[in-house]
Amino acid sequence: MRCFCLLLVLLLALDVCEGDRGREWAHHGASMFADLTPNEMRDVRDYLQGKPELGLTAARGKSLKKNSILLMELHLPRKHKALRALDRGQAKPMRQARVVVQFGNQSQPNITEIIVSPLPFPTSYREKTFKGDKPIRFESRPITEAEYSHIIDILQKITAKVHKVLFETTGGFSFHNCTDRCLTFSDIAPRGLESGERRTWIMLQKFVEGYFIHPVGFEILVNHKDLNPERWTVEKVWYNGQYFDKVEELAEQYEKGTLEKVKLPDHDDKDLYSTYIPRGHSNTRTDIHGPKLVEPQGPRYHVDGNFVEYAGWSFAFRVRSSAGLQIFDLRFNGERIAYEVSLQEAIAFYSGDTPAAMQTKYIDAGWAMGTLDYELAPGIDCPEIATFLDLHHYYDTDKPVHYKNALCVFEMTTGMPLRRHFNNNFQGGYNFFGGLENHVLVLRTTSTVYNYDYIWDFLFYQNGVMESRVSATGYIHATFFTPNGLHYGSKVYNYVLGNLHTHLIHYKVDLDIAGRKNSFESMNLKYVNFTNPWSHKHSVVQSKLVKTQHQTERGAAFRFGKKFPRYVNFYNPNEKNKWGHQKGYRIQYNSHADSVLPRGWMEENGISWSRYPLAVTRHKDSEPTSSSIYTQNDPWEPVVSFEDYIRNDESIINQDLVAWVTVGFLHVPHSEDIPNTATPGNAVGFFLRPFNFFDEDPSLASRSTVIVRQVKEGKPKVQRWTPEVVGHCVTDRPFFYNGTYAGV
């Protein structure tokens, strides 16, 4: 017996040792995924600028005929090399930087991506290629501050020719030589109608607070493909529903009175409909604050650099400059659930009656969506108690840019129990009451992509569930109202149309369920009809579970417009829980997404991932992302084509699998979107939920459980594992529960 006990103690000690070692290795490996530091960015910049063959100059110089760095971010290590560090504690792969260089100062301008290594002291670089060795057209590059400065210059010249038109239309606003009553502009993408073009529709707006919803009815099409801005041309003009070939033509007809003029209502800064300044009657007391989130004894999570631990969870995070928030090596109780869960792309495709509206198809990685994560406001964007972290980006700049408090981590109560039960005794009392508070850890950042604000969340629950959620807010994209515009949205103010649009968000979910060898199945229900075994003259009709194991990538690509399975489950065929079920995690959707264009129609080729709410592929280091920063300005012949990933239709049985998840919603703007779109009802995402992964609910380990039983005297007996009184900052009264009921 003593030998058995000793063996048991040794096994338990070994298990603890393994757990400690796993935690140590996860912490050790987290820095592999950390974003580039400012010092690393400067070192890479200096190294490349010291290479005479590249001929690099400052990015912010006004010339477009230059070779310069556009973007710099971490280049991820290969998965199998990263896993050696995470699972065996071996040396981490060397850190590398991905650098996008725009070579404009040569006979054939091009965009080239370069991998620089090792960091922090680089000594070499190599060219990065895309799947199929697709070249990057120079015209597909994102627009820069230098190019915008020339757009402003040409707008100054153009608007000077129609100054009277604009001045009288807007009630005293102008674009050039203005002081306090100025016009501004929004530029629309994609920039053209086919690959190789760079033609942009630009619409003018009043430059006031919330100018996005102040269009003035003037739009122009500028061809700015030439690297010499003196050769840029205006190809079309639109004014109040009428098209003109030249600006001079509009000015001439305006003077003659041969066109339909428009006169916007007089502008009054004191009654600005786009401002946040409160108006209307409030029924809420303003002399006291609303509820606040507190941590009575301090935080229960731990953040070390880019490594986070909480209630059995651990993960590393980064904010990729081109696309945004990502997490890596996601573990629960030491077991990896996913190697990567990352935002890939966000699009908003619009409809409208004006040329700018009908051309608006925003593909947000093309605007470096990850760099648009500005400072978060305590008490509004995140609770005051949150841990705020700074970020650094290198995009269209000559030195790292510091984004203060751009990411936050906090624990919150949802105000909803994780689980509870009142066990009625049907005699005016109960046998027991049991409940568990629902606390959740939130990792949050935002992206303000011009007018729209996306709030990106990863949420981690005590029961092994992870949620990915995006909440949309900010200003709507509005155009000038025309009667025909009502087919494409709603009139939300005088001369303002809120244009209908669909938001789609794309994620990469690299699941490693109990290891890398996973399979994928879907589940549906079908009715079965059979003779009742205890009453043969009757039949039983009920639902039966039907499982389909998907064999290949094509068979696991579910199209929008087709019936989606009730359950989709990723499981390890070789690992079972205590009850004989294969360990799995399912993806559960919170989405109202649908396709935005017919398959293969022009710009749809660049967003072929949007065909599928879910597609499953085998992991490949050569297929790291589903989109690119070039898709926005060349969606017709994209550098990254997601459809290529499933075209070879490889087997997905017992393989390292990646789920590509699309969520989204249709937004038909309405008057309540003035001044801003609110977050309620505008949040979508998905859950990763354990499906027979554990033997029982792992949140049983939580000591926040409260159980109440009635003792013989009828008094409640409270059983709990946390302090009885939380503290005066929450309540100075201990937990109380009676639970009895009676007639009156």
Side-chain angles (χ1 to χ4, degrees):
M1 181 69 183
R2 288 181 60 192
C3 290
F4 174 76
C5 289
L6 182 60
L7 179 62
L8 183 61
V9 169
L10 287 173
L11 288 172
L12 288 171
L14 183 63
D15 189 52
V16 170
C17 241
E18 288 290 340
D20 289 344
R21 187 162 28 177
R23 186 266 173 198
E24 180 183 329
W25 289 345
H27 184 259
H28 157 77
S31 60
M32 290 185 295
F33 309 110
D35 288 311
L36 298 180
T37 67
N39 284 338
E40 288 175 325
M41 293 175 180
R42 285 188 285 262
D43 288 339
V44 171
R45 176 201 63 194
D46 294 345
Y47 170 73
L48 292 179
Q49 289 184 345
K51 293 297 178 182
E53 67 272 20
L54 299 179
L56 298 184
T57 59
R60 284 302 180 95
K62 196 168 182 180
S63 173
L64 301 180
K65 294 182 178 180
K66 63 176 182 289
N67 301 343
S68 61
I69 295 173
L70 174 66
L71 170 71
M72 187 189 304
E73 63 184 16
L74 177 73
H75 180 64
L76 289 173
R78 290 181 175 272
K79 182 176 180 178
H80 73 278
K81 291 184 178 180
L83 290 178
R84 291 174 189 166
L86 294 170
D87 294 344
R88 303 178 197 170
Q90 295 182 3
K92 292 174 286 189
M94 64 180 177
R95 281 173 65 81
Q96 299 178 308
R98 170 195 175 219
V99 183
V100 177
V101 180
Q102 43 187 8
F103 289 100
N105 187 24
Q106 51 193 54
S107 57
Q108 293 295 324
N110 70 84
I111 297 290
T112 302
E113 294 204 1
I114 292 173
I115 306 301
V116 179
S117 59
L119 302 183
F121 307 112
T123 57
S124 65
Y125 71 89
R126 61 177 173 84
E127 185 175 335
K128 178 186 180 296
T129 57
F130 288 85
K131 196 175 182 73
D133 293 327
K134 295 179 181 177
I136 307 170
R137 284 183 178 270
F138 195 63
E139 294 79 15
S140 71
R141 71 194 185 280
I143 199 163
T144 61
E145 287 295 327
E147 195 166 3
Y148 273 127
S149 70
H150 293 293
I151 288 177
I152 292 172
D153 289 344
I154 193 172
L155 286 177
Q156 295 275 9
K157 298 174 183 177
I158 293 168
T159 55
K161 298 177 180 179
V162 287
H163 173 73
K164 183 178 180 181
V165 178
L166 296 173
F167 194 84
E168 293 181 355
T169 295
T170 61
F173 282 75
S174 62
F175 192 89
H176 76 298
N177 295 331
C178 68
T179 53
D180 60 337
R181 296 171 77 81
C182 296
L183 296 174
T184 187
F185 70 94
S186 291
D187 56 312
I188 306 304
R191 306 180 191 281
L193 297 174
E194 61 185 24
S195 188
E197 292 188 349
R198 204 164 176 84
R199 299 187 296 154
T200 298
W201 274 102
I202 297 170
M203 64 175 177
L204 298 190
Q205 300 142 320
K206 291 182 178 180
F207 189 41
V208 296
E209 194 172 283
Y211 60 86
F212 312 102
I213 52 177
H214 288 269
V216 301
F218 180 86
E219 301 175 0
I220 56 172
L221 178 62
V222 176
N223 188 327
H224 53 113
K225 177 177 178 177
D226 201 295
L227 294 182
N228 181 358
E230 296 298 321
R231 299 196 186 104
W232 291 3
T233 58
V234 175
E235 297 188 349
K236 196 70 70 174
V237 181
W238 183 90
Y239 172 78
N240 190 26
Q242 303 151 92
Y243 285 91
F244 306 90
D245 292 326
K246 296 181 179 180
V247 180
E248 293 82 359
E249 181 184 350
L250 166 60
E252 181 181 343
Q253 291 194 30
Y254 187 89
E255 286 292 341
K256 292 180 178 179
T258 57
L259 55 74
E260 185 179 345
K261 298 181 180 180
V262 62
K263 174 65 172 68
L264 298 178
D266 290 335
H267 180 82
D268 186 357
D269 288 328
K270 296 179 181 179
D271 187 28
L272 191 62
Y273 61 87
S274 55
T275 184
Y276 268 59
I277 296 174
R279 55 183 178 268
H281 176 69
S282 174
N283 293 307
T284 304
R285 287 183 61 181
T286 58
D287 57 338
I288 57 173
H289 281 285
K292 295 288 185 180
L293 190 63
V294 299
E295 293 171 331
Q297 285 86 40
R300 302 194 300 177
Y301 60 91
H302 176 67
V303 180
D304 185 4
N306 72 317
F307 182 66
V308 180
E309 294 175 289
Y310 168 75
W313 290 101
S314 71
F315 58 89
F317 69 86
R318 70 179 286 218
V319 178
R320 183 173 165 232
S321 296
S322 48
L325 190 60
Q326 304 181 328
I327 59 174
F328 294 88
D329 192 28
L330 177 65
R331 306 187 189 201
F332 187 77
N333 289 342
E335 293 191 81
R336 182 176 300 112
I337 307 301
Y339 176 75
E340 175 184 353
V341 184
S342 60
L343 174 63
Q344 295 290 305
E345 186 61 272
I347 68 171
F349 276 36
Y350 287 76
S351 298
D353 187 47
T354 80
M358 63 184 71
Q359 181 67 8
T360 304
K361 298 173 181 66
Y362 288 139
I363 306 173
D364 290 337
W367 305 80
M369 176 170 59
T371 68
L372 304 175
D373 44 9
Y374 304 106
E375 184 173 356
L376 299 168
I380 299 174
D381 293 319
C382 310
E384 292 95 336
I385 60 163
T387 298
F388 290 86
L389 300 172
D390 298 350
L391 298 174
H392 295 86
H393 296 291
Y394 196 108
Y395 175 74
D396 192 20
T397 182
D398 292 305
K399 59 183 178 181
V401 178
H402 178 207
Y403 292 70
K404 183 177 176 59
N405 294 346
L407 181 143
C408 70
V409 184
F410 59 93
E411 184 184 11
M412 70 174 185
T413 175
T414 65
M416 174 72 70
L418 184 67
R419 60 172 181 268
R420 59 95 66 193
H421 178 62
F422 177 82
N423 193 242
N424 197 339
N425 69 2
F426 304 102
Q427 297 176 7
Y430 57 99
N431 299 311
F432 77 91
F433 164 84
L436 174 60
E437 291 179 83
N438 191 9
H439 293 107
V440 59
L441 187 77
V442 181
L443 175 71
R444 173 175 294 170
T445 187
T446 62
S447 295
T448 301
V449 193
Y450 197 58
N451 59 299
Y452 240 86
D453 295 69
Y454 293 111
I455 302 171
W456 308 105
D457 286 341
F458 287 124
L459 301 95
F460 305 88
Y461 295 82
Q462 300 172 75
N463 61 341
V465 173
M466 193 214 82
E467 180 184 0
S468 178
R469 182 173 66 199
V470 55
S471 304
T473 178
Y475 285 94
I476 59 174
H477 179 64
T479 55
F480 193 75
F481 176 79
T482 62
N484 194 47
L486 290 175
H487 295 293
Y488 307 106
S490 305
K491 185 176 184 180
V492 294
Y493 221 77
N494 289 323
Y495 296 104
V496 183
L497 181 81
N499 298 81
L500 71 86
H501 54 284
T502 296
H503 292 276
L504 293 182
I505 316 296
H506 201 230
Y507 292 91
K508 178 182 182 181
V509 185
D510 184 349
L511 291 160
D512 285 354
I513 307 301
R516 295 182 68 182
K517 299 295 185 180
N518 291 173
S519 293
F520 169 68
E521 66 181 359
S522 61
M523 302 181 196
N524 282 301
L525 299 179
K526 77 172 183 179
Y527 293 123
V528 290
N529 187 332
F530 56 91
T531 301
N532 190 319
W534 51 269
S535 181
H536 291 182
K537 66 179 181 179
H538 296 95
S539 294
V540 174
V541 175
Q542 62 184 11
S543 295
K544 178 181 179 181
L545 187 63
V546 178
K547 296 184 179 181
T548 302
Q549 185 184 62
H550 296 270
Q551 309 282 325
T552 66
E553 293 173 327
R554 277 289 181 199
F558 299 92
R559 294 290 303 274
F560 278 116
K562 304 291 185 180
K563 187 176 181 180
F564 193 72
R566 303 289 291 274
Y567 274 38
V568 288
N569 181 41
F570 294 80
Y571 65 95
N572 190 315
N574 311 304
E575 296 288 336
K576 296 182 179 180
N577 70 1
K578 184 178 180 179
W579 316 114
H581 295 293
Q582 293 160 325
K583 288 190 167 187
Y585 254 76
R586 56 180 283 235
I587 296 177
Q588 179 178 319
Y589 283 70
N590 170 28
S591 173
H592 316 286
D594 207 341
S595 57
V596 292
L597 284 174
R599 182 185 178 115
W601 176 260
M602 294 178 64
E603 298 88 355
E604 195 271 348
N605 288 313
I607 54 165
S608 54
W609 52 264
S610 70
R611 300 167 184 171
Y612 313 102
L614 174 66
V616 181
T617 66
R618 287 168 62 167
H619 172 271
K620 291 183 180 178
D621 289 311
S622 61
E623 299 174 351
T625 63
S626 60
S627 190
S628 79
I629 62 173
Y630 317 110
T631 307
Q632 174 66 93
N633 293 329
D634 191 354
W636 309 282
E637 297 178 14
V639 173
V640 175
S641 174
F642 178 76
E643 195 68 27
D644 291 344
Y645 294 3
I646 59 178
R647 186 164 283 132
N648 54 4
D649 200 23
E650 292 181 305
S651 169
I652 56 171
I653 298 176
N654 209 19
Q655 300 290 338
D656 187 357
L657 301 183
V658 176
W660 303 89
V661 176
T662 304
V663 297
F665 63 97
L666 168 67
H667 185 186
V668 180
H670 42 90
S671 55
E672 292 82 6
D673 283 312
I674 301 298
N676 255 174
T677 295
T679 54
N682 288 319
V684 295
F686 63 92
F687 293 86
L688 294 181
R689 296 185 61 184
F691 191 74
N692 295 316
F693 188 87
F694 304 103
D695 297 334
E696 59 184 2
D697 186 342
S699 69
L700 274 171
S702 173
R703 296 319 193 242
S704 296
T705 298
V706 174
I707 301 174
V708 185
R709 296 183 176 89
Q710 280 191 301
V711 293
K712 291 182 179 179
E713 301 81 34
K715 296 180 180 179
K717 179 183 178 181
V718 179
Q719 187 178 11
R720 61 183 308 143
W721 290 262
T722 53
E724 185 175 18
V725 178
V726 178
H728 290 284
C729 58
V730 179
T731 175
D732 57 0
R733 292 180 296 174
F735 175 84
F736 174 79
Y737 188 84
N738 182 277
T740 60
Y741 58 98
V744 293

